[in-house]
Amino acid sequence: MAEGRGELPPRSPPHLSLPPASKRPCLRPAPRGPGPGPGPGYSNSRLRSPESLLDCAAKAVAEKWAFERVEERFERIPEPVQRRIVYWSFPRNEREICMYSSFQCRVAGEEGPAVGSNASVGSGAVPGGVTTTTGNTGAGGTGDGLPFRRGIRLLETGCVENVLQVGFHLSGTVTEPATASEPEVTHRVAISFDRCKITSVTCGCGNRDIFYCAHVVALSLYRIRKPEQVKLRLPISETLFQMNRDQLQKLVQYLITAHHTEVLPTAQKLADEILSSNSQINQVHGAPDPTAGASIDDDNCWHLDEEQVREQVKQFLSQGGYYGSGKQLNSMFAKVREMLRMRDSNGARMLTLITEQFMADPRLSLWRQQGTGMTDKCRQLWDELGALWVCIVLNPHCKSEEKGGWLKQLKKWSDMDICPLEDGNYGSELPNITNALPQSNLAQDSLGRPRRTVFTRAVEACDLHWQDSHLQRIISSDFYMSPAYQREGESLLFNPQGLPLWLDHVPTACARVDALRSHGYPREALRLAVAIINTLRLQQHRQLDIYKHQKKELLQRGMTTTTNLEGWVGHPLDPIGCLFATLTETCRIEDDNAMDTGDSGEPKPPVYQHVSVWGCPDGSESYLALALEVALMGMGQQRLMPEGLYAQDKVCRNEEQIIARLQELELDELLVQTLRKQAILLLEGGPFSGMGEVIHRESVPMHTFSKYLFTALLPHDADLAYKVGLRAMRLPVLESSAPSGDVGHHGISIVPSRYPRWFTLGHLESQQCEVASTMLTAAKGDMLRLRTVLEAIQKNIHSPSLIFKLAQDAFKIATPADSPPDITLLNVALELGLQVMRMTLSTLNWRRREMVRWLVTCATEVGLRALVSILQGWYTLFTPTEATSIVAATVMSHNTVLRLSLDYPQREELASCARTLALQCAMKDPQNCALSALTLCEKDHVAFETAYQIVIDAASTGMTYSQLFTIARYMEHRGYPLRAFKLASLAMAHLNLAYNQDTHPAINDVLWACALSHSLGKNELATIIPLVVKSVHCATVLSDILRRCTMTAPGLAGIPGRRNSGKLMSTDKAPLRQLLDATISAYINTTHSRLTHISPRHYGEFIEFLSKARETFLLAQDGHIQFAQFIDNLKQIYKGKKKLMMLVRERFG
């Protein structure tokens, strides 16, 4: 591959200027080396004498020609000439050393021409400054840990010594200073170089990494910064040529003596071969010289350890679940882009190595077999990989054989079954990269779509070329315009102002821009970017004209099927992001501190200033304004939501990335003017704009975009800001109906789906909520705007949870801690809360209780009338249970009265409404609301009696025994024992306790009811016992009741006219006789039931049960006889259970 500093490829485009790769002089000027001629260039050239012709020629030869070619061309090369060629053959740019010793390297001004500079990119001007690194990546983690920074530190602390350059070989020693844990260590370093590139490195530290170690960096920078201190010798073969036989013999013998343990075996072997006339060594003319530079056939490229690249990528991929691994891989991609920008052939080489490891990732086959998708972070890495290959193959100066090799390799990868698909989920639904127009008719069956992988776009890009004469003129001149006499009428090449257009598939055109920028042609990239923006402008105005003719018909239909299947935001090639980056880089003001490596923490936000568009007729255009304009155009494009989770998520992510970059711009008058103009065009754009009056039902929503527009426009044009925000509030995909659409000009007609699969719908709805919240906050105090925003919310937001969030946000903003509440916003919060109550009244929502409590709090803040209103209209907002247990109870609390500072009539009004609500709820749902109603009506006799009567009426039909027991206990607690007895009796009629339910939760209620009856008197007890006998069949419970009733009554509950005689009640008389008989009968029945399925392990428990039964039998006059007969019957009936009967005889005889 042509390195950019060499000759142009034979088939390079005729009009594209090819400036040499940017070179920068060192921080320190390089003085004269050995021999004549000055050192390397110096930024302030007026203070230096001009270079000699020898140095000019030597520099050119050293950079372009292999030294072998020089030797072949000339029979004899004078020694001073050889010295200057050797001198200038070492790399002269610290930036190149930095590139191979750190993950990221950025130089002030490297992204394009310096702001305000008149130098042409193609002029070969050398920008000033020294390369630096960013410290957020790399092995060291911080800038000081990077090899480049460590190398500079070693150099500046005098750790580099014994530096010697012999021909094209540099050697020296670098000493690592001692630390608290490590002693001082000296490393031998050797570097081979050719044509201003380091071709191999060796260091005694044994470093194995992608990048050069700090010792190699230190030695390289020593040679660049202090060339006058480096001993320079010609290649060793030239020195040997000057020696006679005696000198040569002495040299060899001294060399062997100095290193006899290392070289003696090798020396003897070579001597034997030389003395043998038939040896291979004697068949070759001359001898190898490692210091004589590379041969003509050697690749002229920087040293790159391919094995280490493979190993590190493999290691990073194996740690796929960790954040650091993705960060490292992205840094490697950034390194590829940096190499491309330097026109270094290692860029494509390194990307090939990375891709091979990506394709060898064992998870690919696993994901395919399991039918599962890869993680989002992994998908993003594959996307970047595909985009980089598009950049590689679109290199405007690559050779055809190189492109052919890449195409073959890309097709091989793409044809593999495990190769990831472009959209991450399906085949491909996007147009071919070489389509000429962004809206071509692609209404084809999705089943017939070709399989598109992450490499498909790169394969398609191989068909693109740069030979188009119009394209060449665009990128080669700032002043390319049509003649004035040709500007009337339609033209595909120029707009009405005579500026050039580039009518290409927009993502494809932007891929060309990215390729130019990535390969070190920033000026050409800018020219093409401006032509693309002029094309988009013209298209936007023509679409507006089309809409004006169809506006009436479309507005009647209310929706359109005109859309773009391929959106520019979220596109695999990121066209909008590419154009924005290309344009803003020109306007970026670089930090004066050129050596800033990011050690100080977070990177500083970029600072921009306006730069006039080169070649603009009136000078009114600014690259910064164009960047803002194209970002607004791209995000405002009306396009169809893509299929699949990943593609949809990518749309959201890409939009947020673009907006984050827009927020870095400081809006001045020119940018605000651009913003306002584009916002108006988007609002008037009809079906071609996502902000238009009519859009496709499944169009990508504009919520995130409109939030940025609203915030940016609000200080400058509030009316326009609210128009944008309100227009973007819609989310038509959630509307129930989709009308039959129309077919627009230059559009695609597609049949709308009733239920599209929008995987990111939750995120989109939350963004819709964010827009609404932003507008509510801004409209605080403006009743008219608040009412408009409220209507938009009620019309367009369909999620109760989100409306509730909006209500909470509005309430929080309306009630600041340090100032009086804003009643207008409070009313909006209350109205939104009421809407939530109505929406969730008949549906399940786990936050419902929280919502109800919040609404009461909000209504309390609004005032008495709001509370009265929700109490009177409770049935449309709350369930009866919520209304009584939460709403009315909170309203009647002492805290509410204090908060509102109510006087007596106001308290009575509120209490009356609460009691009315309680009675209504009790009528509607007595099971759940009766007790709350009684509680709320305690202080009003009439209301309390009414509530009690509601309970009595509902007791026989709609209420359970547990509810009735609860209310009965409440009545006893309130001092109504007879009412409690009545309710307990009603509850007993609903109860049924089986013989084996001795742990039933109602047992305590039954015991309480019997105790209450016993305390009231014999008549009440006589009333309750038949109910107990009918409802309770559990012997142990009945015996417990019987035992309690035989004791002294607990008292008559304070009922006037009744007194307790203190005598024990007899079990032989009513009412206990009936209870005793029922208890004995229950014991007999339970005994037979238990014996039917008894197991030996329960024998002991059964004997204890019979003991309790005997105690009950003995309460009767003839109880001992009955029990004896009972035991005899058991022995006769169950005589087969011999062990059990033996235990019965042992205990009971």
Side-chain angles (χ1 to χ4, degrees), residues 880 884-885 888-889 892 911 914-923 925-955 959 963-974 976 979-980 983:
T884 52
S885 64
M892 294 289 287
R915 288 192 291 269
T916 302
L917 175 150
L919 294 176
Q920 291 172 345
C921 292
M923 288 288 291
D925 186 7
Q927 298 94 329
N928 298 311
C929 299
L931 181 58
S932 297
L934 288 166
T935 306
L936 289 167
C937 296
E938 284 175 354
K939 295 182 180 179
D940 187 284
H941 178 72
V942 176
F944 187 82
E945 291 298 321
T946 305
Y948 173 69
Q949 192 57 47
I950 291 172
V951 174
I952 297 300
D953 294 342
M959 300 187 71
Q963 293 167 339
L964 290 169
F965 274 130
T966 302
I967 298 173
R969 286 177 180 262
Y970 164 79
M971 283 296 184
E972 184 197 30
H973 177 71
R974 299 302 301 169
Y976 299 105
R979 291 185 176 184
L983 289 168

Side-chain angles (χ1 to χ4, degrees), residues 150-214:
R150 290 176 51 223
I152 290 177
R153 201 160 53 246
L154 289 171
L155 172 64
E156 292 175 345
T157 53
C159 296
V160 183
E161 296 176 324
N162 305 320
V163 182
L164 173 66
Q165 179 180 340
V166 179
F168 297 88
H169 186 271
L170 183 71
S171 62
T173 59
V174 180
T175 303
E176 283 275 9
T179 63
S181 58
E182 297 290 339
E184 181 179 281
V185 183
T186 299
H187 301 290
R188 294 178 179 272
V189 184
I191 299 174
S192 296
F193 53 92
D194 174 54
R195 283 170 277 179
C196 299
K197 296 181 180 66
I198 291 176
T199 55
S200 70
V201 297
T202 307
C203 181
C205 70
N207 172 69
R208 296 289 292 168
D209 198 354
I210 296 177
F211 302 121
Y212 303 161
C213 66

Side-chain angles (χ1 to χ4, degrees), residues 1035-1056:
T1036 54
V1037 176
L1038 288 171
S1039 64
D1040 195 9
I1041 295 172
L1042 182 62
R1043 179 180 58 79
R1044 293 172 185 241
C1045 289
T1046 56
M1047 298 178 182
T1048 304
L1052 296 180
I1055 298 178

Side-chain angles (χ1 to χ4, degrees), residues 77-96:
I77 306 170
E79 182 177 329
V81 176
Q82 290 190 52
R83 285 180 174 275
R84 299 316 293 164
I85 293 175
V86 168
Y87 175 85
W88 288 112
S89 291
F90 195 83
R92 310 161 200 165
N93 193 344
E94 291 189 14
R95 176 182 175 188
E96 295 170 322

Side-chain angles (χ1 to χ4, degrees), residues 685-842:
F688 304 100
S689 163
M691 297 277 190
E693 292 178 272
V694 284
I695 58 171
H696 189 274
R697 179 171 175 257
E698 295 178 33
S699 177
V700 173
M702 298 283 114
H703 306 134
T704 308
F705 178 40
S706 66
K707 181 184 174 183
Y708 164 76
L709 283 178
F710 178 84
T711 307
L713 284 169
L714 189 64
H716 310 284
D717 192 336
D719 289 338
L720 182 57
Y722 277 99
K723 284 181 183 177
V724 168
L726 293 170
R727 177 71 62 81
M729 276 292 293
R730 60 197 171 185
L731 190 56
V733 73
L734 294 181
E735 302 298 335
S736 58
S737 62
S740 59
D742 60 286
V743 180
H745 185 66
H746 288 307
I748 301 166
S749 177
I750 54 178
V751 179
S753 166
R754 182 66 182 265
Y755 301 108
R757 298 186 67 189
W758 281 30
F759 298 95
T760 56
L761 188 58
H763 171 75
L764 297 174
E765 286 187 288
S766 68
Q767 291 300 305
Q768 183 187 36
C769 177
E770 287 292 322
V771 177
S773 179
T774 304
M775 289 194 290
L776 283 176
T777 304
K780 179 180 177 181
D782 189 331
M783 195 61 225
L784 182 59
R785 291 205 193 281
L786 281 174
R787 178 57 53 186
T788 307
V789 175
L790 177 62
E791 290 172 357
I793 293 170
Q794 293 172 331
K795 176 182 178 183
N796 295 296
I797 298 184
H798 306 281
S799 167
S801 298
L802 293 177
I803 298 177
F804 181 52
K805 181 182 182 301
L806 281 173
Q808 288 178 305
D809 291 347
F811 179 79
K812 186 176 180 180
I813 297 165
T815 54
D818 54 352
S819 59
D822 183 271
I823 193 63
T824 57
L825 197 52
L826 264 180
N827 281 318
V828 170
L830 178 62
E831 196 158 342
L832 289 172
L834 294 175
Q835 183 182 353
V836 172
M837 291 298 102
R838 288 188 285 267
M839 292 173 72
T840 58
L841 179 60
S842 58

Side-chain angles (χ1 to χ4, degrees), residues 445-748:
D445 186 1
S446 61
L447 296 177
R449 291 171 183 160
R451 177 175 177 270
R452 294 181 63 86
T453 70
V454 292
F455 300 116
T456 301
R457 291 187 180 272
V459 171
E460 294 168 352
C462 289
D463 295 332
L464 300 175
H465 59 82
W466 297 87
Q467 269 69 43
D468 184 273
S469 59
H470 182 59
L471 174 62
Q472 287 295 318
R473 292 188 179 98
I474 289 175
I475 62 181
S476 60
S477 172
D478 292 324
F479 305 98
Y480 177 46
M481 298 179 68
S482 66
Y485 63 85
Q486 294 181 356
R487 296 179 186 176
E488 296 182 3
E490 294 290 327
S491 171
L492 295 177
L493 301 182
F494 301 93
N495 67 7
Q497 290 75 41
L499 298 174
L501 307 175
W502 180 241
L503 285 172
D504 198 353
H505 175 231
V506 173
T508 307
C510 295
R512 290 182 183 273
V513 173
D514 192 30
L516 288 169
R517 171 171 161 259
S518 298
H519 287 280
Y521 302 101
R523 188 69 166 264
E524 287 81 354
L526 278 171
R527 292 164 181 158
L528 183 55
V530 172
I532 293 171
I533 293 173
N534 286 331
T535 307
L536 294 178
R537 283 174 170 174
L538 185 61
Q539 179 180 308
Q540 188 179 50
H541 286 287
R542 287 178 177 173
Q543 288 174 343
L544 187 59
D545 292 338
I546 293 168
Y547 171 60
K548 288 177 180 178
H549 290 90
Q550 301 176 346
K551 184 173 182 178
K552 183 177 181 181
E553 179 186 355
L554 291 179
L555 289 178
Q556 288 176 348
R557 297 187 181 189
M559 199 167 288
T560 179
T561 53
T562 301
T563 187
N564 289 287
L565 284 182
E566 185 179 43
W568 300 332
V569 175
H571 191 279
L573 297 178
D574 189 19
I576 301 303
C578 166
L579 291 178
F580 186 86
T582 303
L583 294 163
T584 53
E585 280 168 357
T586 307
C587 305
R588 184 166 177 162
I589 303 175
E590 296 295 342
D591 193 347
D592 293 337
N593 184 7
M595 291 304 293
D596 179 18
T597 61
D599 301 343
S600 58
E602 291 295 322
K604 298 178 182 178
V607 179
Y608 301 101
Q609 69 180 16
H610 287 286
V611 177
S612 296
V613 176
W614 294 306
C616 181
D618 54 3
S620 61
E621 294 279 16
S622 156
Y623 286 114
L624 199 60
L626 289 183
L628 174 62
E629 184 176 358
V630 77
L632 300 179
M633 281 185 186
M635 288 193 294
Q637 177 204 27
Q638 206 258 119
R639 69 265 188 195
L640 197 66
M641 178 66 78
E643 297 178 15
L645 171 60
Y646 177 73
Q648 293 175 12
D649 180 65
K650 189 175 180 182
V651 168
C652 301
R653 194 185 321 113
N654 192 206
E655 187 175 41
E656 290 167 358
Q657 290 168 349
I658 296 173
I659 288 176
R661 298 198 64 181
L662 286 177
Q663 289 170 338
E664 294 173 348
L665 303 180
E666 185 176 342
L667 297 179
D668 56 17
E669 184 179 351
L670 180 57
L671 294 183
V672 169
Q673 182 181 347
T674 303
L675 197 69
R676 184 184 287 114
K677 175 185 175 183
Q678 197 55 227
I680 293 171
L681 287 173
L682 289 173
L683 288 173
E684 297 175 352
F688 304 100
S689 163
M691 297 277 190
E693 292 178 272
V694 284
I695 58 171
H696 189 274
R697 179 171 175 257
E698 295 178 33
S699 177
V700 173
M702 298 283 114
H703 306 134
T704 308
F705 178 40
S706 66
K707 181 184 174 183
Y708 164 76
L709 283 178
F710 178 84
T711 307
L713 284 169
L714 189 64
H716 310 284
D717 192 336
D719 289 338
L720 182 57
Y722 277 99
K723 284 181 183 177
V724 168
L726 293 170
R727 177 71 62 81
M729 276 292 293
R730 60 197 171 185
L731 190 56
V733 73
L734 294 181
E735 302 298 335
S736 58
S737 62
S740 59
D742 60 286
V743 180
H745 185 66
H746 288 307
I748 301 166

